[in-house]
């Protein structure tokens, strides 16, 4: 009957899942959002690896600068072609940790927060692949996509997908530290706040269900 035994997960995963036993805040203004970004060796979810993770939290449209995470991952897989984008060298002075330690730190930081990313499908998939390599289930957090939220705003219906660069220009957001995980997380957080403001004008009361609702998957640009 060994097949019937409950699978045992490491303490850090059990601690993460315990967070979801808490009843989440119903009002958007009181929800802890964690905006995050990953820099990777490429765009192949199965073959490529995470190079760095950057996050910043916000509650009630206020960025919590001290509530953040930035970590760099040791590179077992190295793609010199992508270095010109993210600037992360295989060696160097930056302190790097194992992929496992990066995931542990990420889970400890996000807890049961609602995650936010631009074209979130890719970043979530990269985290889930890292979890799979650790023989763990997928992320349990709810996720919002700023690409999807921009679609909801109907500010520009000329096409379905807009890159982060395009939206930062549209909303006049400075592109400081673009293509670093922490920099892109901060930029996306500013974009998220602006989009919430636009959507609030269209809908007096914002709900998480409304922000999540989507009829189609957001692509990657």
């Amino acid at each position: 009957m060994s097949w019937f035994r409950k699978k045992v997960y490491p303490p850090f995963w059990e601690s993460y899942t315990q967070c979801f036993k808490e009843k989440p805040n119903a009002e958007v203004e009181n929800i802890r959002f964690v905006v995050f970004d990953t820099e990777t060796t490429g765009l192949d979810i199965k073959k490529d690896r995470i190079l760095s993770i950057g996050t910043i939290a916000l509650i009630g449209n206020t960025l919590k600068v001290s509530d953040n995470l930035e970590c760099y991952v040791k590179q077992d897989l190295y793609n010199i072609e992508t270095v010109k984008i993210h600037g992360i060298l295989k060696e160097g002075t930056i302190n790097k940790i194992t992929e496992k330690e990066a995931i542990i730190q990420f889970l400890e930081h996000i807890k049961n927060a609602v995650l936010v990313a631009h074209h979130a499908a890719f970043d979530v998939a990269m985290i889930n692949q890292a979890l799979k390599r650790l023989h763990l289930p997928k992320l349990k957090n709810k996720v919002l996509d700023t690409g999807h939220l921009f679609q909801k705003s109907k500010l520009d219906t000329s096409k379905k997908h807009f890159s982060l660069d395009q939206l930062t220009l549209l909303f006049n957001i400075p592109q400081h530290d673009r293509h670093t995980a922490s920099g892109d997380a901060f930029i996306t957080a500013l974009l998220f706040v602006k989009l919430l403001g636009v959507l609030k004008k269209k809908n007096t009361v914002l709900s998480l269900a409304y922000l999540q609702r989507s009829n189609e998957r957001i692509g990657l640009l």
Side-chain angles (χ1 to χ4, degrees), residues 94-146:
I94 297 176
N95 181 47
K96 296 179 181 178
I97 57 180
T98 64
E99 181 179 73
K100 179 179 180 179
E101 182 56 34
I103 291 298
I104 291 174
Q105 290 187 20
F106 181 69
L107 296 179
E108 288 178 345
H109 175 66
I110 64 173
K111 298 182 173 63
N112 65 344
V114 175
L115 300 179
V116 182
H118 190 69
H119 295 154
F122 175 76
D123 297 286
V124 170
M126 290 299 293
I127 296 291
N128 282 336
Q129 280 297 119
L131 288 168
K132 185 177 180 180
R133 286 190 287 274
L134 294 173
H135 309 290
L136 294 171
K138 295 180 179 180
L139 285 171
K140 296 173 64 65
N141 305 70
K142 294 179 179 179
V143 181
L144 296 180
D145 189 318
T146 48

